[in-house]
Amino acid sequence: MSAYVSPWMDEELSIFRDAVARFVEAEMVPNDEQWRKQQHVGKDIWRKAGETGLLCTDIPSEYGGAGGDFRHEAVLYEETARRGITGFGQGVHSICAHYLINHGTEEQKRRFLPRMASGALIGAIGMSEPAAGSDLQGLKTRAVRNGDSYVINGSKIFITNGYLAGLIALVVKTQPGTGAKGTSIIMVETANLKGFRVGRILDKMGMKSQDTAELFFENVRVPAANLLGGAEGQGFYQLMGDLPYERALIAVAGVGAMEGALAETIQYVKDRKAFGKSIAEFQNTKFKLAEIATKTRIARVFVDDCIAKVVAGTLDTITASMAKYWVTETQQEVLDECVQLHGGYGYMNEYLVCRMFADSRVQRIYGGTNEIMKELISRAL
Ligand SMILES: Cc1cc2nc3c(=O)[nH]c(=O)nc-3n(C[C@H](O)[C@H](O)[C@H](O)COP(=O)(O)OP(=O)(O)OC[C@H]3O[C@@H](n4cnc5c(N)ncnc54)[C@H](O)[C@@H]3O)c2cc1C
């Protein structure tokens, strides 16, 4: 296939990509099976990723980050997605860091970001609740100001990095009954936190090594200084402001997975024989590969445009929603064909495309479901 190089790549990023790919191959791929069995990736890999300079790559160096931009983040998402590494929740970690950099007070940035960049503090986002997923107006977790603290009661579900997280950007109601205006984000440090409990690591269809968990808060006291940005009632606006970044990131991982699966499948059909020739020689195989290579290229070009827009600060919510919706739907179509071309082996967990297929399903659900994406897009038409 003719080599397509993303227009945002340059020499420095190529060197960075090589280093990331080596790290993924040496430190992640060999451990993935064990991670899937234990349902989490453990804290060591976060430390190693921090030491190698792979965390918070787009956070300024004065706060401990690498001082790069979204292109560096994109390289990390792509290289992990290509190898089917879905348990290491660096995307959510980065979104959490972005809440701080975009909305945090100076003191909050200095207190949390350097530890996030080193991997000492793993970030999570606590938004969803049993009765509030797409409709965040239904949030019930309550934070009540009491002297210098907030007292938090409630629970969260489906929280990525929930078991390992040391810092949760927790979305709470500070003034119930006032809709979006009554919502705030409180940065909750979980170490030795009285009244805080991690429930089950949830048993999922895919992403088996991701510690997606339930979280419980019973009279949990958090310093009032942890209210993101220092003013109550800003939570909803803070969340909305960062949505394009979050959705771009899901699309980047989607196209990375498609590219990885395509490369793996091309190799497989060349090696596998039936009826005295390689599977790659059947016309159906050639046409299917042509179709998925074309879909992957279209997704790549769209995502590259989004990456450039994130770097320029011009990615709007509608375009980001289009990318999240279309790329993740296409990702599933592509993965489905890759499984089919692998025959029975494509249904076996030891094969990359099998794990990728199961892992990809949730891309259409989290980060705002694709139905919500279409709702948003249609409102702008
Ligand atoms: C693996 C995984 C990781 C996750 N990680 C996180 C995380 O880190 N932090 C976090 O806060 N949350 C996380 N989530 C939660 C995720 O964001 C929600 O599951 C998602 O927003 C959908 O909410 P819900 O599950 O309550 O579904 P519901 O909102 O109950 O939706 C059910 C169905 O109804 C449809 N629907 C709802 N409203 C409308 C509408 N207005 N128009 C048309 N259709 C509609 C939905 O599209 C969906 O098909 C995660 C979920 C999973 C599965």
Side-chain angles (χ1 to χ4, degrees):
M1 197 160 80
S2 63
Y4 169 87
V5 180
S6 297
W8 49 268
M9 281 296 293
D10 62 20
E11 209 183 319
E12 185 258 314
L13 283 158
S14 295
I15 295 167
F16 181 64
R17 187 184 290 283
D18 285 347
V20 174
R22 275 201 307 276
F23 183 85
V24 171
E25 214 53 52
E27 305 289 347
M28 294 180 156
V29 172
N31 295 317
D32 195 39
E33 194 179 342
Q34 175 58 28
W35 291 347
R36 283 174 184 264
K37 280 189 192 131
Q38 70 191 26
Q39 294 183 291
H40 64 86
V41 302
K43 291 190 175 171
D44 277 1
I45 191 67
W46 283 93
R47 290 269 191 193
K48 281 184 189 164
E51 281 161 19
T52 315
L54 305 188
L55 298 177
C56 298
T57 56
D58 59 355
I59 296 293
S61 49
E62 59 180 306
Y63 301 114
D69 57 42
F70 189 67
R71 296 171 305 164
H72 297 86
E73 290 286 298
V75 165
L76 179 60
Y77 305 139
E78 285 173 10
E79 293 305 320
T80 46
R82 274 183 191 146
R83 300 297 281 128
I85 300 294
T86 50
F88 183 67
Q90 81 270 21
V92 159
H93 184 78
S94 293
I95 296 166
C96 185
H98 269 252
Y99 286 150
L100 283 163
I101 201 73
N102 292 336
H103 312 291
T105 63
E106 190 57 29
E107 184 275 328
Q108 289 168 346
K109 291 179 200 177
R110 296 201 180 277
R111 188 149 50 104
F112 297 124
L113 286 171
R115 283 184 289 153
M116 291 188 79
S118 74
L121 206 54
I122 300 163
I125 303 161
M127 221 173 338
S128 304
E129 296 181 4
S134 301
D135 183 9
L136 286 177
Q137 302 290 350
L139 289 181
K140 289 203 170 57
T141 297
R142 180 89 166 92
V144 179
R145 180 77 187 245
N146 182 293
D148 284 344
S149 309
Y150 278 98
V151 179
I152 302 175
N153 279 286
S155 69
K156 297 287 173 182
I157 194 161
F158 302 143
I159 305 308
T160 299
N161 297 345
Y163 174 70
L164 294 174
L167 184 68
I168 303 164
L170 193 72
V171 185
V172 293
K173 280 281 172 201
T174 37
Q175 233 187 335
T178 53
K181 290 199 183 85
T183 307
S184 303
I185 298 178
I186 296 180
M187 305 306 295
V188 177
E189 271 206 75
T190 61
N192 306 316
L193 186 62
K194 227 175 124 202
F196 168 72
R197 186 167 63 82
V198 179
R200 289 177 302 146
I201 298 183
L202 299 164
D203 181 17
K204 304 184 294 298
M205 176 195 291
M207 290 197 168
K208 297 285 190 185
S209 54
Q210 166 49 233
D211 52 312
T212 315
E214 291 177 288
L215 308 176
F216 298 96
F217 302 82
E218 205 181 324
N219 292 322
V220 168
R221 263 183 190 275
V222 176
N226 287 20
L227 176 69
L228 185 66
E232 278 188 15
Q234 297 303 306
F236 210 72
Y237 310 104
Q238 291 164 342
L239 289 174
M240 294 300 121
D242 285 21
L243 285 180
Y245 181 89
E246 180 173 345
R247 289 177 185 159
L249 189 153
I250 292 173
V252 170
V255 79
M258 284 186 237
E259 288 168 347
L262 177 60
E264 188 83 359
T265 304
I266 291 170
Q267 195 53 54
Y268 183 83
V269 297
K270 282 181 181 167
D271 293 344
R272 177 81 178 163
K273 301 255 178 326
F275 299 97
K277 51 183 173 180
S278 81
I279 300 286
E281 289 174 68
F282 296 120
Q283 190 187 48
N284 177 67
T285 307
K286 292 189 219 166
F287 283 12
K288 287 294 175 198
L289 285 176
E291 285 167 21
I292 61 180
T294 307
K295 285 181 183 177
T296 301
R297 175 70 65 85
I298 295 168
R300 163 54 65 195
V301 172
F302 188 10
V303 167
D304 278 348
D305 183 55
C306 290
I307 291 170
K309 285 192 164 88
V310 176
V311 174
T314 56
L315 184 68
D316 60 282
T317 303
I318 304 305
T319 310
S321 303
M322 287 173 170
K324 193 271 173 184
Y325 138 63
W326 193 83
V327 170
T328 60
E329 301 276 336
T330 309
Q331 179 187 357
Q332 269 243 292
E333 290 167 18
V334 166
L335 262 302
D336 186 55
E337 291 296 357
C338 291
V339 168
Q340 190 67 20
L341 288 171
H342 274 70
Y345 299 91
Y347 199 66
M348 298 297 128
N349 271 318
E350 64 197 88
Y351 281 76
L352 179 66
V353 294
C354 173
R355 302 193 298 275
M356 280 183 159
F357 176 76
D359 291 354
S360 71
R361 183 61 184 87
V362 78
Q363 287 263 93
R364 292 163 56 199
I365 297 172
Y366 59 22
T369 66
N370 283 3
E371 290 71 33
I372 296 298
M373 296 304 105
K374 291 180 207 173
E375 183 65 34
L376 291 172
I377 296 161
S378 67
R379 275 184 216 163
L381 301 178

